[in-house]
Amino acid sequence: ANHWALPVLCSALAVILGTASALASRAPLPIVVPRLDLGRRLIIGGGLALSLQIAIRLLAAHRFGGHIASFDFGVKCDAKGRCEQNISFTWEVESAGHFLQGCCAFFLLPACGPLLQFFGRIVNESAATSLLAAQDLMSPLVVV
């Protein structure tokens, strides 16, 4: 069996968290933790609830013939009784779509506004405005 998904995911998270902590430790000013408004709390709560559900499903994957390290959730059957393996991170259109959706979710973070303005102004003021408008338009697409 191919068990590359979990080690790759854990390695990517380690690099991201390590980079963030290195940048935070070298910041010239103290990093202020923003107060979470209702929208941010709901996004965090939804993410935690989804993460808990995925963790529970993965921990039970062996009962359905799956394997935790390859994100194989085991056999999945539909209402008509057709069954197939439920494997994440495959080379299919659905997996690529979920990947792109996750990448676009990055732009929902409030810190991306100034970044988009900065990189847009390198080109011109119109590009900065276009990038900020694209950020606003992209938000519903990420949620759907």
Side-chain angles (χ1 to χ4, degrees):
N2 194 359
H3 306 303
W4 60 269
L6 187 60
V8 168
L9 180 67
C10 290
S11 299
L13 288 174
V15 168
I16 291 168
L17 292 174
T19 303
S21 64
L23 289 173
S25 69
R26 290 175 176 75
L29 300 172
I31 296 176
V32 178
V33 178
R35 186 182 155 117
L36 297 178
D37 60 4
L38 179 61
R40 290 179 185 173
R41 281 188 240 152
L42 289 173
I43 289 173
I44 291 170
L48 290 173
L50 180 63
S51 297
L52 180 63
Q53 178 187 5
I54 290 171
I56 291 170
R57 286 184 62 198
L58 278 173
L59 290 172
H62 67 280
R63 293 180 183 257
F64 301 97
H67 195 278
I68 191 171
S70 59
F71 280 82
D72 180 356
F73 291 94
V75 177
K76 172 178 73 172
C77 299
D78 61 14
K80 296 179 182 178
R82 292 178 294 208
C83 298
E84 62 183 358
Q85 282 298 114
N86 187 9
I87 303 173
S88 298
F89 303 112
T90 58
W91 295 105
E92 296 176 0
V93 175
E94 186 176 336
S95 289
H98 281 109
F99 174 76
L100 290 174
Q101 184 180 24
C103 290
C104 290
F106 171 77
F107 292 105
L108 292 175
L109 299 173
C112 288
L115 280 174
L116 291 174
Q117 281 182 326
F118 173 76
F119 288 116
R121 286 190 179 132
I122 291 174
V123 178
N124 61 32
E125 193 64 37
S126 173
T129 305
S130 298
L131 284 174
L132 290 174
Q135 179 187 26
D136 290 338
L137 293 173
M138 202 179 327
S139 300
L141 297 175
V142 171
V143 176
V144 173

